[in-house]
Amino acid sequence: MANSGIWLLTWLISFLCCALHVMGAGRAGNGSTRFFDFKVQTLRVTKLCNTKEIVTINKRFPGPVIYAQEGDRIIVNLTNETPYNATIHWHGVRQRRSCWFDGPAYITQCPIQSGQTFRYEFTLAKQKGTLFWHAHVSWLRATVYGAIVVYPKTGVPYPFKRPDEEHIIILGEYWLKDIVQLEREVMESGGIPPPADAFTINGHPGPNYNCSANDVFEIQVVPTKTYLLRLINAALNMENFFAIANHKLTIVETDGEYTKPFVTERVMLGPGQTMNVLVTADQPIGRYSMAMGPYMSAKHVRFQNISAIAYFQYLGAVPHTETLPAKLPSFNDNLAVMTVMDGLRSLNPVKVPKTMDVNLFVTIGVNVNKCASNNCTGLKNGTMAASMNNISFVNPSLSLLEAYYHKIDGYFTEDFPGAPLKFYDFVNGAPNNIPNDTQAMNGTRAKVLKYGSRVQLILQDTGTVTTENHPIHLHGYSFYVVGYGTGNYNPQTAKFNLVDPPYMNTIGVPVGGWAAVRFVADNPGVWFIHCHFDIHQSWGLGTVLIVKNGKGKRERLQRPPANMPRC
Ligand SMILES: *[C@@H]1O[C@H](CO)[C@@H](O)[C@H](O)[C@H]1NC(C)=O
Ligand SMILES: *[C@@H]1O[C@H](CO)[C@@H](O)[C@H](O)[C@H]1NC(C)=O
Ligand SMILES: *[C@@H]1O[C@H](CO)[C@@H](O)[C@H](O)[C@H]1NC(C)=O
Ligand SMILES: *[C@@H]1O[C@H](CO)[C@@H](O)[C@H](O)[C@H]1NC(C)=O
Ligand SMILES: *[C@@H]1O[C@H](CO)[C@@H](O)[C@H](O)[C@H]1NC(C)=O
Ligand SMILES: *[C@@H]1O[C@H](CO)[C@@H](O)[C@H](O)[C@H]1NC(C)=O
Ligand SMILES: *[C@@H]1O[C@H](CO)[C@@H](O)[C@H](O)[C@H]1NC(C)=O
Ligand SMILES: *[C@@H]1O[C@H](CO)[C@@H](O)[C@H](O)[C@H]1NC(C)=O
Ligand SMILES: *[C@@H]1O[C@H](CO)[C@@H](O)[C@H](O)[C@H]1NC(C)=O
Ligand SMILES: [Cu+2]
């Protein structure tokens, strides 16, 4: 008890110095209300020999941290002071009955337009750990992101040795070009976006890029002390390896849920994934590199292959000392990814649904459509697309939640297929044995689920264009990742873990493989499920799950707030 008191004091102090200017006072302890003022503002930054304006929250990059405690109520007053449309998604926050505040544009709300204000309000019920917030409109997430740190309730310790200090490490991708312009050009051309000009760690590319020798994030460490690193991948279109030279990482949490401690030399995070790792400063005094490199499982895609570097610097290290390099796996090391995945287990046995009410089988992958003009720059001179069960999701012009709640016809249909039209060799084959048949259909089709349904979802990667590891994110829920493997899913041979599978909100479906997830659909609303590569999402790799109200009072979606933005 005395220990946790000291611990609380430590975090309160760091909390006060780092967070006070973005939050108002709240009663310390359980269930406080915490208020945050978010202003969407542009900021001039100089990076990589180039000065430009980026979109930020409160002119900070990365944005302000939301520090909170399990059970807290969070209120964010967001005002858009830029010319762009804005929304914020609270990634990993389950938004129980508060779907209105989830954030994805045209799914749960219309964008907050230039000059408008919107109040996000939600409770961190039964949630703790590292999550993050990011823009969920256009590709603004490139620079609009920040951490959410939810501490356990007062008096509840971590299930591992208390770390001496903690640090947030956000991985990102940075483009020299204006991101809104880049998005417009890529989408108009039908082509593939160029690689980022740099990877970044907490906004800093590190010394491997031009004009970047001093643009380096650094943490000071004291020999023998143990550090909790809260890793967040906010990159736009890349999955990434992360490692620290000569130091082992112990994974203790993923997507805000505790795991059995797993020791590894490196981790892989897809965009949308978060992970807490412990690192002990147990090496000779010196400066060690913390490196973020590419994991690219698709074929023939250009990508940034220069690592972002930050310093893990021991107190007492000679200034300007040589940096010991971190060993990252090669960009296509699928085995390294599998090894980390195999190590992720829930800390304790969990209550996985055993019998299913709904079985969904959903293919995910990239497509190439025929060019409507004569100047498309996608593969085979076509227009790039992506789909779930061969349907490219088309954003409606009104928020789907609004259309559903107010029963406004014409914005979506309720016929998203629970299985592909045709089963074939998804990974190696071509639909109908026609090798050039890379087309997808278009549509805004929802899958409707009854309240309380026990759902199993098989996600199957396809090789229609190229196989690839896709980070699939579900809003409003976490799911148990009960199985995964390479090749086509085969119910006869698939092995499931129904004892201690990890509980996640984003699953990197193995390249040329499948993943099986289970959850109980007990949170009513319209929930986006999509690839967390923004380019794949723009190409249509997503759909929505509509979960109907239950009978009980606590089983119904709350009423919309009065000030919903309008389209
Ligand atoms: C907070 O909640 C925990 C667990 O529910 C409880 O043990 C503790 O007494 C509460 N603390 C305060 C300050 O209310
Ligand atoms: C929210 O922000 C707007 C615009 O800055 C301001 O007018 C309003 O008073 C703020 N609301 C609260 C509750 O602070
Ligand atoms: C391709 O042509 C169409 C009209 O034919 C035009 O709207 C579009 O901007 C062109 N795209 C590029 C990348 O030139
Ligand atoms: C650095 O700048 C030089 C000269 O402009 C260029 O050739 C090189 O590719 C750049 N390197 C990186 C890593 O961007
Ligand atoms: C990195 O990319 C460059 C150009 O895209 C390529 O020439 C080089 O071989 C790549 N390096 C590695 C290690 O993949
Ligand atoms: C794509 O178009 C260009 C000219 O616009 C042409 O030279 C090239 O052969 C075409 N490629 C394919 C694969 O059709
Ligand atoms: C997807 O739909 C397109 C357009 O209808 C069709 O040509 C293609 O065969 C379909 N592919 C699959 C795998 O069903
Ligand atoms: C779907 O939309 C894309 C882009 O608007 C278009 O190129 C494609 O032809 C459409 N596909 C179908 C089957 O209508
Ligand atoms: C912003 O959103 C509104 C409502 O959907 C839309 O009409 C408008 O075109 C959007 N503006 C921009 C700059 O995308
Ligand atoms: Cu994807």
Side-chain angles (χ1 to χ4, degrees):
M1 233 28 197
N3 274 358
S4 26
I6 293 165
W7 170 81
L8 179 70
L9 199 67
T10 316
W11 90 248
L12 264 176
I13 289 165
S14 63
F15 182 75
L16 288 175
C17 69
C18 311
L20 203 65
H21 54 289
V22 288
M23 56 163 290
R27 192 179 56 85
N30 298 330
S32 311
T33 296
R34 300 192 189 275
F35 181 82
F36 298 83
D37 204 9
F38 272 33
K39 290 193 163 50
V40 190
Q41 294 172 325
T42 54
L43 171 71
R44 260 184 113 64
V45 290
T46 300
K47 266 188 203 299
L48 312 164
C49 328
N50 166 283
T51 300
K52 70 161 190 168
E53 295 218 318
I54 61 171
V55 181
T56 66
I57 298 296
N58 301 351
K59 294 192 183 289
R60 293 175 61 188
F61 175 62
V65 181
I66 294 209
Y67 286 102
Q69 221 179 342
E70 180 177 348
D72 283 352
R73 181 132 189 96
I74 305 295
I75 301 179
V76 182
N77 191 34
L78 187 132
T79 303
N80 184 359
E81 299 183 355
T82 71
Y84 310 107
N85 280 340
T87 72
I88 301 286
H89 169 53
W90 315 94
H91 187 110
V93 173
R94 282 178 213 130
Q95 301 287 5
R96 268 201 84 80
R97 304 176 55 227
S98 55
C99 189
W100 300 104
F101 301 105
D102 190 37
Y106 303 109
I107 309 295
T108 64
Q109 69 168 98
C110 294
I112 303 156
Q113 297 181 38
S114 190
Q116 292 181 348
T117 292
F118 181 58
R119 255 166 83 109
Y120 288 97
E121 280 196 61
F122 50 87
T123 300
L124 296 164
K126 296 188 186 150
Q127 287 203 263
K128 53 185 173 290
T130 305
L131 306 170
F132 72 122
W133 55 263
H134 61 75
H136 213 307
V137 60
S138 317
W139 293 356
L140 291 189
R141 175 161 66 89
T143 55
V144 180
Y145 56 75
I148 302 177
V149 174
V150 189
Y151 291 101
K153 287 192 175 180
T154 308
V156 180
Y158 292 137
F160 43 82
K161 183 176 162 279
R162 181 162 41 89
D164 296 289
E165 254 179 61
E166 339 184 334
H167 294 280
I168 292 163
I169 306 268
I170 311 187
L171 312 180
E173 281 183 294
Y174 192 83
W175 275 266
L176 295 176
K177 198 164 205 166
D178 179 83
I179 203 74
V180 175
Q181 197 184 330
L182 179 76
E183 176 182 7
R184 192 184 313 125
E185 284 173 15
V186 170
M187 295 315 290
E188 277 175 6
S189 72
I192 296 172
D197 294 293
F199 293 133
T200 56
I201 297 178
N202 288 348
H204 303 280
N208 288 353
Y209 303 90
N210 284 336
C211 309
S212 217
N214 298 316
D215 195 356
V216 192
F217 178 72
E218 168 180 326
I219 59 181
Q220 289 275 350
V221 302
V222 176
T224 76
K225 290 204 167 171
T226 296
Y227 297 83
L228 176 68
L229 304 186
R230 298 176 177 274
L231 308 177
I232 297 167
N233 193 345
L236 210 63
N237 294 326
M238 276 299 288
E239 299 184 307
N240 295 97
F241 288 112
F242 176 86
I244 305 181
N246 300 15
H247 289 75
K248 289 196 159 50
L249 312 174
T250 304
I251 301 173
V252 291
E253 181 193 301
T254 181
D255 287 3
E257 294 289 328
Y258 294 130
T259 59
K260 293 194 168 68
F262 178 70
V263 181
T264 175
E265 310 215 320
R266 74 290 256 232
V267 294
M268 195 289 281
L269 284 88
Q273 293 189 298
T274 60
M275 200 178 263
N276 284 1
V277 300
L278 295 172
V279 188
T280 299
D282 56 5
Q283 294 299 305
I285 286 178
R287 181 204 266 168
Y288 297 83
S289 97
M290 295 196 279
M292 165 202 186
Y295 168 50
M296 173 49 76
S297 57
K299 301 239 159 46
H300 314 302
V301 177
R302 282 194 310 141
F303 59 92
Q304 176 57 265
N305 63 14
I306 300 168
S307 301
I309 300 292
Y311 298 145
F312 190 78
Q313 170 134 351
Y314 281 64
L315 194 71
V318 191
H320 310 295
T321 185
E322 194 192 340
T323 311
L324 285 119
K327 278 198 217 81
L328 289 169
S330 95
F331 73 89
N332 58 359
D333 192 342
N334 300 325
L335 187 64
V337 175
M338 269 302 187
T339 311
V340 176
M341 214 159 149
D342 289 344
L344 299 181
R345 300 295 170 96
S346 278
L347 178 62
N348 298 312
V350 287
K351 272 195 244 158
V352 187
K354 297 278 169 15
T355 44
M356 295 298 120
D357 302 306
V358 179
N359 281 288
L360 302 177
F361 188 106
V362 174
T363 60
I364 54 174
V366 173
N367 302 84
V368 181
N369 286 334
K370 286 206 184 73
C371 184
S373 54
N374 58 2
N375 57 357
C376 298
T377 59
L379 298 174
K380 298 184 212 142
N381 289 354
T383 300
M384 301 306 296
S387 58
M388 281 188 162
N389 277 346
N390 204 35
I391 297 153
S392 270
F393 184 82
V394 177
N395 267 348
S397 54
L398 183 70
S399 128
L400 289 182
L401 181 59
E402 228 173 298
Y404 169 70
Y405 189 84
H406 297 296
K407 303 192 169 63
I408 308 170
D409 280 346
Y411 290 95
F412 68 97
T413 52
E414 300 192 346
D415 57 351
F416 182 83
L421 238 46
K422 187 174 266 178
F423 278 77
Y424 64 101
D425 180 353
F426 298 112
V427 174
N428 308 295
N432 309 311
N433 285 323
I434 309 169
N436 301 330
D437 186 2
T438 58
Q439 306 268 332
M441 294 174 272
N442 295 327
T444 309
R445 304 207 208 167
K447 178 74 201 170
V448 180
L449 298 167
K450 275 196 199 129
Y451 182 92
S453 314
R454 292 159 296 183
V455 182
Q456 173 171 289
L457 166 63
I458 309 286
L459 294 160
Q460 172 71 58
D461 186 28
T462 71
T464 309
V465 172
T466 169
T467 54
E468 179 165 12
N469 181 305
H470 296 274
I472 303 295
H473 174 54
L474 173 61
H475 289 228
Y477 293 87
S478 288
F479 42 59
Y480 294 108
V481 180
V482 295
Y484 51 84
T486 49
N488 295 303
Y489 171 69
N490 177 345
Q492 263 75 54
T493 54
K495 286 198 183 68
F496 281 3
N497 171 9
L498 301 180
V499 179
D500 60 357
Y503 196 46
M504 302 169 82
N505 61 53
T506 307
I507 173 68
V509 178
V511 51
W514 57 274
V517 305
R518 290 185 180 185
F519 62 97
V520 178
D522 59 0
N523 188 14
V526 177
W527 303 109
F528 204 13
I529 177 169
H530 63 95
C531 182
H532 217 278
F533 293 144
D534 270 26
I535 182 61
H536 289 185
Q537 190 201 306
S538 295
W539 285 344
L541 213 172
T543 191
V544 291
L545 305 180
I546 295 182
V547 178
K548 295 167 98 165
N549 280 337
K551 296 215 167 55
K553 198 156 167 277
R554 311 279 310 158
E555 301 177 352
R556 304 178 73 80
L557 176 65
Q558 63 184 220
R559 293 227 302 254
N563 62 342
M564 282 311 283
R566 287 164 191 265
C567 286

